[in-house]
Amino acid sequence: MKIALAQLNYHIGNFEANTKKIIDHIKLAKDKGADLVVFAELAICGYPARDFLEFDEFISLCEEAAQEIARHCSEIACIVGLPIKNNILQGKDLYNAAYFIENGNIKAIAKKALLPTYDVFDEYRYFEPATEFGCIDFKGKKIALTICEDLWNINDNPLYVSNPMDELIKEQPDVMINIAASPFSYTHDDERIKVLSDNAKKYHLPVFYVNQVGAQTEIIFDGGSLVFDADGEMKAEMKYFEEDLQVFDLEEIEKVRNKYPQPERLTDIEQIHDALVLGIQDYFKKSGFTKAVLGLSGGIDSAVVCALACRALGAEKVMAVLMPSKFSSDHSVQDAIDLVNNFGCMHEIIPIKDVAQAFDSILAPAFNGLPFNLTEENIQARTRGTIVMAMSNKFGYILLNTSNKSECAVGYGTLYGDMCGAIGVIGDVYKTQVFELAKYINKERELIPINTIVKPPSAELRPDQKDSDSLPEYDVLDKILYHHIEEKQGSKSIIAKGFDEALVQRILKMVNIAEFKRYQTPPILRVSPKAFGMGRRMPIVGKYMA
């Protein structure tokens, strides 16, 4: 039996485009001699569809698309994911399901049992867990078909009724097929490979796993579909961050070693770079936007975002707005101009000195001679926010936010100023990682000016300002933040690692009191195991000091 894995980029709710793409790849797989072509979890409607799933018409359109797909399944079978109605008058209204289609008919239905409710997942909000399981007979083979989490063997949650493979293995299947929507993080590929390999070993069966690729606002899918033999040895690893279709011979998987080419494994920074480029591309394409604008300061954050945007959209679609203040250094302006020249993007220089002074003048009576402080700094940041939003409105640009994760964590940013934007490009990338990204972008030649990378970071909102005036050095700050955010450790655990007690308490307090700001920021492209946004839900007024 020859099995094709179709690793595709779907668009939530775009039934016409998704259906056409699936049908086109059914034909392609058939041309390549496949007997069966496998598509991803909820491929028909896109993942995660969230509250679209509460609309009856949305579910009906899924079924109509499935029937259209079935009409094209002649001389080849397919597996495709979609939500289906639960016709039993108890539990949730829907199942997260997969159709097995053969000769134009829906021959079998598999339903997901292990519904994830952690981090970015909220499937138990919509779906009823499956409790009955059966293998699918096809071409003299028995297929154990599962959906994503069903192979992660999480069975200590009371919502998880049973482990599907422990039931399916009783029917002595010949192969496991798992369809997934497995979001990207730069630590997840190794974890995913281990889990699937362990399943192959546990049940002593080959595993065919198909993931989807592409970004759905903040969630990015990296592809990397996989095939393992019954000993848990990886036999194939498909492309990352790209659509791909490959055909595998089930019998040869068990006999031949290293038959199929496997791509080189990417480093964490390479993965983050490729994920962010894909995230920008899909946000614009799927939203119907074409042109981006950002404020370019001469600092490393905006430089990296500008570089990523040029690679994602094309330099001719990117507008960089330089907005020097009376505190901006000459080298910052020159660094920004050098970057623009290196990438060839559009740019405008709009000084903010006069606007900021106008605010100072009209507020002077109310402030009654009070000294310059954070208020005047924020006025400059909000002036810049107003200007880039004006460019967005006037020319149809979409504003890219350039705040990094370190800043987002401790509230080192101005609401309605530098925290403006439609999508946060590097809001899940720590400052130390931003420096690594800059060096990676420069790996072949200097695109981001070296001075931008080596100079001390500064918001340049007061004379001789440096980030280190307000924050610890980033190599220390980021380690503490990682322990707290990604590893979910409180102050006692972090202090026990050797960090200064007062410093840890100060940083964690900054994280907690900045929660109200993060509630008002744009969606952030998720690249880490724990990103700000839907995967990290903290109370704004909670008193707990971890």
Side-chain angles (χ1 to χ4, degrees):
M1 181 167 61
K2 292 185 177 180
I3 301 173
L5 300 184
Q7 174 181 292
L8 304 179
N9 188 339
Y10 304 102
H11 185 185
I12 295 170
N14 192 340
F15 295 102
E16 182 179 358
N18 293 345
T19 302
K20 182 180 185 304
K21 182 172 286 192
I22 290 167
I23 290 170
D24 287 346
H25 283 79
I26 289 172
K27 294 176 181 176
L28 178 60
K30 185 161 62 173
D31 291 343
K32 289 177 174 288
D35 300 299
L36 171 65
V37 56
V38 186
F39 299 95
E41 178 181 11
L42 297 182
I44 286 176
C45 64
Y47 187 100
R50 297 182 183 162
D51 284 4
F52 278 170
L53 295 167
E54 296 181 347
F55 290 79
D56 288 340
E57 184 181 37
F58 188 86
I59 305 304
S60 296
L61 289 169
C62 290
E63 183 61 34
E64 290 173 17
Q67 296 299 329
E68 176 64 19
I69 289 164
R71 284 190 279 273
H72 292 81
C73 280
S74 60
E75 301 177 20
I76 188 172
C78 88
I79 292 170
V80 64
L82 76 165
I84 64 170
K85 291 182 179 179
N86 174 12
N87 294 319
I88 301 173
L89 297 179
Q90 61 182 13
K92 302 293 193 300
D93 293 336
L94 301 171
Y95 287 108
N96 182 339
Y99 281 170
F100 184 92
I101 303 172
E102 183 182 7
N103 295 324
N105 298 308
I106 298 164
K107 180 179 176 181
I109 301 173
K111 300 169 185 173
K112 189 173 183 177
L114 308 188
L115 302 175
T117 58
Y118 56 87
D119 199 70
V120 298
F121 301 104
D122 199 9
E123 290 196 27
Y124 200 73
R125 176 182 174 93
Y126 309 103
F127 299 117
E128 183 71 8
T131 57
E132 297 180 355
F133 313 99
C135 290
I136 299 166
D137 294 316
F138 179 63
K139 286 193 170 290
K141 302 289 185 182
K142 283 189 175 181
I143 298 171
L145 174 58
T146 57
I147 302 174
C148 203
E149 196 86 0
D150 287 352
L151 278 195
W152 285 71
N153 296 327
I154 300 174
N155 52 21
D156 58 352
N157 187 319
L159 299 179
Y160 297 156
V161 180
S162 66
N163 186 320
M165 273 311 304
D166 286 345
E167 298 299 315
L168 291 167
I169 198 67
K170 296 173 184 177
E171 299 184 26
Q172 298 181 319
D174 299 288
V175 60
M176 289 187 281
I177 294 179
N178 183 262
I179 66 171
S182 181
F184 166 77
S185 79
Y186 59 81
T187 64
H188 192 51
D189 55 336
D190 292 333
E191 180 184 15
R192 188 162 55 205
I193 288 168
K194 183 180 186 306
V195 165
L196 293 169
S197 176
D198 287 348
N199 272 273
K201 294 173 188 175
K202 177 179 178 179
Y203 300 106
H204 198 63
L205 288 174
V207 176
F208 288 74
Y209 161 89
V210 65
N211 192 20
Q212 52 191 265
V213 70
Q216 311 289 4
T217 312
E218 67 269 57
I219 299 177
I220 300 166
F221 298 97
D222 57 340
S225 301
L226 297 159
V227 179
F228 294 85
D229 66 16
D231 295 323
E233 179 184 344
M234 188 196 304
K235 304 307 291 284
E237 183 177 20
M238 290 169 61
K239 294 177 181 177
Y240 283 83
F241 306 108
E242 294 181 44
E243 290 191 326
D244 196 8
L245 183 143
Q246 293 187 33
V247 180
F248 307 96
D249 190 308
L250 176 59
E251 284 68 34
E252 289 187 356
I253 288 296
E254 290 299 289
K255 296 175 184 176
V256 182
R257 289 183 174 271
N258 301 321
K259 176 179 174 61
Y260 300 103
Q262 298 175 22
E264 277 188 40
R265 307 306 304 284
L266 301 176
T267 66
D268 288 352
I269 289 300
E270 288 172 325
Q271 290 184 68
I272 291 170
H273 173 275
D274 292 354
L276 294 177
V277 169
L278 178 59
I280 297 168
Q281 283 176 338
D282 271 13
Y283 183 82
F284 276 73
K285 182 178 178 181
K286 292 176 180 179
S287 301
F289 306 134
T290 58
K291 300 180 294 184
V293 65
L294 73 154
L296 189 65
S297 66
I300 193 165
D301 295 326
S302 61
V304 166
V305 172
C306 187
L308 294 168
C310 288
R311 290 183 170 181
L313 306 174
E316 72 281 0
K317 300 288 182 61
V318 177
M319 168 60 75
V321 185
L322 287 62
M323 296 170 284
S325 73
K326 64 180 179 180
F327 302 115
S328 297
S329 60
D330 291 339
H331 65 74
S332 290
V333 176
Q334 188 59 52
D335 290 341
I337 291 173
D338 289 344
L339 179 81
V340 165
N341 291 335
N342 289 343
F343 278 97
C345 60
M346 301 179 288
H347 79 283
E348 292 282 353
I349 301 177
I350 305 175
I352 67 165
K353 178 181 176 181
D354 292 344
V355 180
Q357 286 181 340
F359 273 110
D360 292 343
S361 295
I362 62 173
L363 289 168
F367 289 172
N368 194 26
L370 293 172
F372 181 102
N373 66 2
L374 183 63
T375 305
E376 285 75 18
E377 293 183 30
N378 286 344
I379 285 172
Q380 296 171 74
R382 293 190 176 111
T383 297
R384 288 175 171 142
T386 299
I387 290 170
V388 288
M389 284 306 304
M391 296 291 288
S392 171
N393 294 157
K394 185 64 72 175
F395 300 108
Y397 301 129
I398 296 302
L399 178 58
L400 301 178
N401 180 268
T402 63
S403 300
N404 63 63
K405 189 172 188 175
S406 308
E407 294 172 345
C408 291
V410 298
Y412 192 62
T414 304
L415 272 177
Y416 327 120
D418 55 323
M419 296 178 73
C420 288
I423 188 77
V425 176
I426 57 170
D428 196 29
V429 182
Y430 288 113
K431 186 77 169 192
T432 48
Q433 294 174 313
V434 175
F435 282 103
E436 291 183 61
L437 270 174
K439 292 172 185 175
Y440 175 68
I441 290 166
N442 280 4
K443 67 176 182 176
E444 294 180 357
R445 65 186 181 94
E446 184 180 324
L447 292 167
I448 296 175
I450 294 300
N451 192 55
T452 295
I453 298 173
V454 301
K455 67 185 177 186
S458 171
E460 294 192 328
L461 297 175
R462 63 174 183 265
D464 301 318
Q465 183 182 24
K466 294 182 178 63
D467 289 4
S468 56
D469 298 339
S470 305
L471 301 174
E473 294 295 338
Y474 282 113
D475 59 344
V476 175
L477 174 64
D478 288 354
K479 289 174 184 174
I480 294 172
L481 291 174
Y482 185 88
H483 290 312
H484 181 54
I485 297 166
E486 273 83 348
E487 295 182 343
K488 297 183 280 292
Q489 294 185 4
S491 57
K492 290 181 181 179
S493 298
I494 299 172
I495 292 165
K497 295 179 184 293
F499 293 97
D500 178 74
E501 179 176 353
L503 178 60
V504 171
Q505 294 285 5
R506 175 187 163 215
I507 290 171
L508 268 55
K509 182 178 180 180
M510 293 170 75
V511 172
N512 288 348
I513 64 176
E515 194 63 43
F516 79 98
K517 288 187 177 183
R518 290 190 291 272
Y519 266 66
Q520 301 179 67
T521 55
I524 291 169
L525 294 177
R526 177 186 184 270
V527 297
S528 80
K530 181 62 69 175
F532 294 126
M534 63 178 295
R536 188 178 186 272
R537 308 174 193 179
M538 297 291 179
I540 292 177
V541 296
K543 186 171 176 55
Y544 167 65
M545 286 295 296

